[in-house]
Amino acid sequence: MKLAIASLLFGSSAAFSPALSGNKFTSSTQLSARKPFISGNWKLNPQTKDEALELAGAIAASVNEESPEADVALFVPYVFIESVADKVGDWINIGAEGVCPEGGGAYTGAISAPMLKSVGVQWALAGHSERRVIYGETDDYINSQCVKLIEQGMSVMLCIGESLAEFEQDLAGSVCAVQLKKGLKGIAKEDLDKVAIAYEPVWAIGTGKVATPEIAQNVHATCRAIIADMYDEEAADGMRILYGGSVTPESVDDLMSQPDIDGALVGGASLDAEKFGRIINFKTL
């Protein structure tokens, strides 16, 4: 693993930027120009409405006038969206963990973008590794989710990231390039203000492992370079790229101090109000 990490940091630029001549793109704006975005993904948790409301209320209480100037969102199970939104009020944006790209019809169990919009949802996740791996959602399907949300005037957090095997083969940049290019296909530059990217190395999700701030920064800078290649530098400068993968109160300050890390998509720690409150109230070093 040490060899893999060293290679990731100092190896060939092709591993990070397959479509670019080296990872040389430097953002002309820093985090101060891109509003930080701290978000939690509750996944299949908690198990009751009462538990969801208790957790949401405790998290909302951690957001105050002394908190960093940041957007805060919780992506929660569909059945809790309206009640949790009522509980947190205007302090926190409540989003959906997914969406069906179809507009209606015989799709048992599906939830459409218009349905979500009708109950006040603005944000939804697309492309999370658990949806890719467990449910077989393809890049084309994920792209259709992104396009449908934007067509509805909503916003999408597109999740990308490599597996452990891909990481160890120095393929992080190549994987992210493919997922970005396929996920954003057909989305115009003028609609990118409705998009955020979450880089989640699959090997760090729920494992307690976390990429070092240097590794995360390197991949984020590569993702920004890919967006510049797809669109232009203005688009890349404006894109918020979040880090996800076992973010904790202990790791968040170092991560948020990196110039190309604009926020966090938090899993397990978002189910603990004290821990997630500390992440919301991150401190840059």
Side-chain angles (χ1 to χ4, degrees):
M1 180 64 76
K2 290 182 178 178
L3 290 175
I5 292 174
S7 178
L8 183 62
L9 285 171
F10 303 113
S12 68
S13 61
F16 278 101
S17 306
L20 306 170
S21 57
N23 184 20
K24 297 180 183 286
F25 175 81
T26 302
S27 174
S28 61
T29 61
Q30 301 299 321
L31 176 57
S32 58
R34 292 185 295 270
K35 191 175 184 182
F37 194 167
I38 304 296
S39 57
N41 176 17
W42 283 2
K43 307 186 182 185
L44 191 60
N45 302 289
Q47 296 305 300
T48 70
K49 176 180 175 181
D50 287 346
E51 290 173 331
L53 292 177
E54 181 180 1
L55 176 59
I59 290 172
S62 68
V63 184
N64 54 61
E65 293 180 356
E66 296 182 1
S67 297
E69 184 69 23
D71 288 330
V72 179
L74 287 172
F75 294 96
V76 308
Y78 298 124
V79 295
F80 299 145
I81 285 175
E82 286 190 274
S83 55
V84 167
D86 289 341
K87 183 70 174 181
V88 302
D90 295 332
W91 286 105
I92 297 175
N93 199 314
I94 303 303
E97 295 180 14
V99 66
C100 175
E102 303 298 334
Y107 299 95
T108 301
I111 304 291
S112 71
M115 290 175 184
L116 293 173
K117 186 175 182 179
S118 74
V119 296
V121 171
Q122 178 60 34
W123 284 88
L125 297 178
H128 193 281
S129 63
E130 290 155 6
R131 301 297 306 183
R132 294 177 187 266
V133 174
I134 299 171
Y135 295 96
E137 294 184 357
T138 65
D139 286 315
D140 288 342
Y141 184 83
I142 291 160
N143 173 247
S144 66
Q145 292 175 305
C146 295
V147 170
K148 178 60 69 173
L149 287 163
I150 289 171
E151 285 178 352
Q152 291 294 314
M154 300 168 70
S155 298
V156 61
M157 186 174 293
L158 172 62
C159 303
I160 61 173
E162 78 284 357
S163 68
L164 178 60
E166 291 163 339
F167 171 74
E168 291 178 333
Q169 296 176 60
D170 295 344
L171 295 175
S174 298
V175 171
C176 289
V178 169
Q179 293 177 348
L180 279 171
K181 290 178 179 181
K182 289 188 174 182
L184 296 177
K185 181 181 177 181
I187 296 176
K189 176 185 173 182
E190 54 265 30
D191 288 322
L192 290 180
D193 61 344
K194 301 180 183 70
V195 177
I197 304 298
Y199 166 62
E200 295 192 298
V202 179
W203 50 270
I205 298 175
T207 64
K209 298 178 181 179
V210 61
T212 67
E214 294 77 19
I215 291 175
Q217 162 58 26
N218 209 345
V219 179
H220 278 234
T222 296
C223 291
R224 204 173 299 285
I226 293 165
I227 294 167
D229 189 55
M230 293 173 62
Y231 295 95
D232 56 28
E233 291 196 11
E234 181 182 44
D237 281 341
M239 179 62 68
R240 291 190 290 185
I241 306 176
L242 288 66
Y243 175 77
S246 298
V247 178
T248 67
E250 292 73 31
S251 65
V252 68
D253 294 346
D254 284 334
L255 289 166
M256 291 300 294
S257 297
Q258 303 302 311
D260 286 293
I261 297 179
D262 305 320
L265 177 58
V266 183
S270 71
L271 299 173
D272 183 311
E274 182 177 356
K275 290 181 178 179
F276 193 53
R278 173 61 181 84
I279 291 170
I280 291 170
N281 291 287
F282 67 88
K283 299 175 175 60
T284 52
L285 304 176

